[in-house]
Amino acid sequence: MNWYIAMVRMNTERQVAKRLNSLGFETFVPAQTETHKWSDRRKKVERLILPLYVFVKTEADKTQELKDTYSFIYGWMKAPGETKPAAVPDDQIQRFKYMIGQCDILVSMEAMTVKLGSNVRVLRGSLQGLTGTICICEDGPKVGIRIDCIGYACLQIAKSDLEII
């Protein structure tokens, strides 16, 4: 079984995940808590890192059946030029979950157009031991965890906290 990326309607990601969980599927909706500040108050809200997408762990032959049976899934993410849904390896999802869970910096997704760079390991901080790829973006160097067919979950880390592996 691999992870596949279901495309869902806007603002239904959590409901779709809950429904699929009740049907016996393992799901993952990447979200991070952030504090919004207004002139009169502050509030913690969960921000979806990948709106419109739900990761679903299933077998490849069940993806079409899921799409045909449940109207809340309107498609599957596919690799460019492919007709079958793209599988995301479990280790990428586990590292992505770790990154989101351990990080006190906001995680962003970067398109696949970023240049692939050196593989690195974080030496210090809450993400110590995490391995990823250097992505050079417009606003400076970032460490990215590759998620097949979508891009990179990125965050900025000082170069002094990184080790090339």
Side-chain angles (χ1 to χ4, degrees), residues 5-9 16 20 54 56 63 66-76:
I5 306 163
M7 295 182 283
V8 300
R9 288 177 183 30
V16 167
L20 288 170
V54 176
V56 182
T63 56
L66 276 170
K67 181 181 175 285
D68 293 342
T69 307
Y70 302 107
S71 61
F72 49 79
I73 296 175
Y74 69 87
W76 295 95

Side-chain angles (χ1 to χ4, degrees), residues 5-14 28-32 46-55 74 77 96 107-110 150:
I5 306 163
M7 295 182 283
V8 300
R9 288 177 183 30
M10 186 174 289
N11 298 323
T12 63
E13 298 88 355
R14 290 182 184 93
F28 172 52
V29 178
Q32 219 174 5
E46 269 206 345
R47 176 185 63 89
L48 294 180
I49 296 171
L50 284 168
L52 306 173
Y53 298 110
V54 176
F55 290 87
Y74 69 87
M77 180 71 70
F96 190 30
V107 175
S108 65
M109 290 302 294
E110 303 292 332
I150 293 181

Side-chain angles (χ1 to χ4, degrees), residues 1-4 24-27 55-59 90 94:
M1 293 208 323
N2 282 310
W3 290 90
Y4 295 90
F25 294 96
E26 186 178 349
T27 62
F55 290 87
V56 182
K57 192 170 191 177
T58 186
E59 296 168 0
D90 190 56
Q94 296 311 318

